[in-house]
Amino acid sequence: WLWPGYIPHGAITLVIGDPGLGKSQLTLDLAARVTRGTLWPSGDIPDIANVLLLASEDSVERTIIPRLNASGAALERIVVLNDILVGGKPRMFDLKTDTEPLEKLIVANHIEMVIIDPLNGYIGNTNSWKESEVRSVLMPIRAMAERHDVAVIGVIHLTKDNAKAAIHRAQGSVAFAAVARAMFAVAAHQTYQGLRYFVSVKQNYAVHPPTLGFVIAAGGG
């Protein structure tokens, strides 16, 4: 769904929006386009690359794989990671403590894009509303992305405060938006049921692209 350049390599990009609007399906469509070199809406062709998914809210077998198949993804180019073995026992992956194994996985699998859905679901016991704690987790991830020229995409729900600008509505500390170099919001069309807007909220390295519209097709593609 994005033109090359608007999700920067070596940085963190946020995708925010209310639950149920298709944020996860949109990022899986993005993963599919990257693994196949499928055209962007602008007509640009992305470089084919490998993708790492951290997606704790959906079943891999029942939800993620079917959605990737519906989007035409090259599954052999996608690595899905939720748990990590510690002392021979699996536990939830934690960005606060597991940056080193994440980096090793990225290097070993030649990963160029990492999708974390939801981003604030992988920060362990970090207080997601405390700026200093959030920065202590995200800055090493951003540094890792810079070292390996990886695009990191984090999905976050919105707060319920409609009076705030979108850039201040990512659930949790303002540090999520501050550390990110690009940010997009998914919003429902007020009139046409099923139509979604994909809006650029923040761009540090480029001008804002035009707003895109999308629908989720039957089968999840």
Side-chain angles (χ1 to χ4, degrees):
W1 290 104
L2 292 179
W3 293 267
Y6 291 107
I7 288 186
H9 281 75
I12 297 173
T13 295
L14 293 187
V15 176
I16 64 171
D18 288 326
L21 294 184
K23 299 185 301 299
S24 297
Q25 285 172 285
L26 185 144
T27 54
L28 291 179
D29 178 88
L30 175 60
R33 291 173 187 269
V34 169
T35 61
R36 288 287 188 192
T38 306
L39 286 174
W40 304 107
S42 61
D44 294 308
I45 301 175
D47 294 332
I48 294 176
N50 296 341
V51 178
L52 173 63
L53 296 177
L54 284 78
S56 62
E57 293 188 341
D58 291 313
S59 165
V60 175
E61 293 78 14
R62 295 181 180 180
T63 304
I64 294 174
I65 298 302
R67 285 177 176 176
L68 287 170
N69 281 327
S71 297
L75 296 182
E76 68 275 12
R77 288 191 170 274
I78 294 178
V79 178
V80 181
L81 173 68
N82 281 327
D83 297 329
I84 185 170
L85 288 177
V86 178
K89 297 180 180 180
R91 68 158 170 77
M92 183 79 169
F93 195 87
D94 186 344
L95 294 173
K96 183 177 181 178
T97 59
D98 300 331
T99 304
E100 184 177 349
L102 176 63
E103 188 164 4
K104 289 180 179 178
L105 189 64
I106 287 170
V107 172
N109 291 276
H110 307 288
I111 300 295
E112 293 188 30
M113 179 176 287
V114 179
I115 297 173
I116 308 172
D117 184 7
L119 176 58
N120 48 0
Y122 284 95
I123 59 175
N125 62 2
T126 301
N127 185 339
S128 63
W129 294 92
K130 191 169 183 179
E131 183 174 355
S132 60
E133 292 193 25
V134 172
R135 282 183 177 274
S136 72
V137 174
L138 295 186
M139 292 306 292
I141 299 301
R142 193 170 87 175
M144 179 202 67
E146 291 174 353
R147 281 195 298 275
H148 300 288
D149 201 30
V150 173
V152 176
I153 303 172
V155 178
I156 297 184
H157 294 325
L158 288 177
T159 65
K160 296 181 180 180
D161 190 351
N162 294 325
K164 289 184 178 180
I167 197 168
H168 296 298
R169 289 189 61 201
Q171 196 173 70
S173 166
V174 69
F176 284 107
V179 173
R181 301 294 84 191
M183 185 173 177
F184 295 84
V186 176
H189 193 283
Q190 294 182 345
T191 304
Y192 298 100
Q193 186 175 7
L195 179 60
R196 307 287 187 250
Y197 288 127
F198 194 45
V199 186
S200 176
V201 175
K202 173 182 178 178
Q203 287 287 340
N204 279 75
Y205 301 145
V207 298
H208 288 283
T211 295
L212 296 178
F214 71 96
V215 296
I216 298 171

